[in-house]
Amino acid sequence: MIKDNIKEIHSKIEDICLKNNRKSNDITIIAVSKTRAVGEIQKAVDAGLNVLGENKVQEIMDKYDELEREVKWHMIGHLQTNKVKYIADKVELIHSVDSLKLLKEINKRAFQNHRIINVLIQVNVAKDEAKFGIETDDLTGFLVEASKLDNIKVEGLMTIVPFDIDKENVRPYFKKMKEIFDDMKNLELMNWKCHFHPMEQVTDYDIAIEEGSN
């Protein structure tokens, strides 16, 4: 069942990319493994998904040693500053970085672990008071401050759009995010790689890809 679902998702992404003149191998599928047992997760890994996303630090810690080493862990949930130390040696990418305080803590823990930690900056593109993220007007200044930190690399931007039953209602947010991403690509900063701009809304992944998300 898991293998069949993964095959179907790959097929859908192939179709979307073909229709939008994109390469499907530019799209990274993150298997959100939160609340799932290790046995279930291993089936997904065996079927070819080696990027796993967790939104709780404790779940990463509990599962990390139980799965194969080629698995890449992403922290996709809101991360508290005092929890960074527990995953600084484990994660490939931290999504949803939403404050300079958190970024500096990640940098500190990365230095202590002799590594560079990749991060995504969460942008509050919908200007939703209920959501975390950097305001669009503050983003350039935030990235400049981030460029001063030696042990993090900003891989790109992410956002969480409002849920809407009609998926077309969220397309404007994806379009706006793509515009912001394109603007930020021109910044000449030391640790600003800017080749990602994922948008974390599982039900809207088709529209997100159509508008440029990877």
Side-chain angles (χ1 to χ4, degrees):
M1 185 68 171
I2 291 176
K3 186 175 181 179
D4 291 340
N5 288 344
I6 292 171
K7 185 177 180 180
E8 182 180 353
I9 291 170
H10 276 294
S11 178
K12 287 181 178 179
I13 290 175
E14 289 276 359
D15 289 343
I16 296 167
C17 289
L18 185 62
K19 292 175 182 176
N20 291 273
N21 196 30
R22 299 194 62 191
K23 296 179 181 179
S24 60
N25 58 4
D26 288 339
I27 308 297
T28 298
I29 298 175
I30 302 172
V32 179
S33 51
K34 62 181 184 178
T35 75
R36 297 298 182 177
V38 170
E40 291 179 286
I41 299 169
Q42 188 62 58
K43 289 179 182 178
V45 174
D46 292 341
L49 295 187
N50 70 332
V51 182
L52 303 179
E54 290 284 350
N55 69 342
K56 292 185 178 180
V57 167
Q58 188 62 51
E59 289 210 51
I60 293 178
M61 295 171 64
D62 290 344
K63 298 169 183 175
Y64 183 81
D65 290 325
E66 299 295 322
L67 289 155
E68 301 172 14
R69 278 293 169 262
E70 63 264 25
V71 165
K72 298 177 181 178
W73 291 95
H74 287 199
M75 177 65 195
I76 62 174
H78 178 66
L79 180 60
Q80 294 177 311
T81 305
N82 62 353
K83 298 290 182 67
V84 175
K85 59 187 175 185
Y86 299 116
I87 59 170
D89 61 334
K90 297 176 174 64
V91 293
E92 176 83 9
L93 181 65
I94 296 176
H95 298 221
S96 60
V97 172
D98 58 4
S99 73
L100 194 57
K101 179 182 178 182
L102 175 59
L103 201 61
K104 288 180 177 179
E105 180 66 16
I106 295 170
N107 184 70
K108 170 186 169 183
R109 298 298 178 178
F111 174 77
Q112 292 174 348
N113 283 277
H114 310 288
R115 62 185 302 237
I116 305 294
I117 294 181
N118 301 316
V119 302
L120 299 177
I121 307 303
Q122 181 172 352
V123 182
N124 190 354
V125 71
K127 298 186 182 298
D128 187 342
E129 293 182 0
K131 287 184 169 57
F132 297 101
I134 305 301
E135 298 297 326
T136 54
D137 292 343
D138 299 330
L139 184 57
T140 300
F142 187 88
L143 291 173
V144 169
E145 290 301 311
S147 72
K148 301 173 184 178
L149 304 176
D150 294 330
N151 286 80
I152 60 104
K153 180 179 288 184
V154 181
E155 290 281 343
L157 311 175
M158 58 80 65
T159 192
I160 300 176
V161 302
F163 174 77
D164 197 301
I165 295 175
D166 184 349
K167 294 191 292 185
E168 284 299 323
N169 289 337
V170 301
R171 189 182 291 275
Y173 297 116
F174 293 142
K175 285 184 177 293
K176 180 62 176 178
M177 191 66 186
K178 183 61 164 61
E179 292 173 4
I180 294 170
F181 176 77
D182 288 341
D183 287 343
M184 294 299 108
K185 280 195 301 188
N186 298 321
L187 292 177
E188 296 181 0
L189 301 174
M190 290 297 294
N191 60 354
W192 171 228
K193 198 168 183 180
C194 197
H195 72 162
F196 267 151
H197 95 280
M199 295 164 179
E200 310 212 348
Q201 192 75 19
V202 176
T203 55
D204 301 328
Y205 75 90
D206 51 346
I207 292 179
I209 293 174
E210 288 171 7
E211 295 301 332
S213 175
N214 59 5

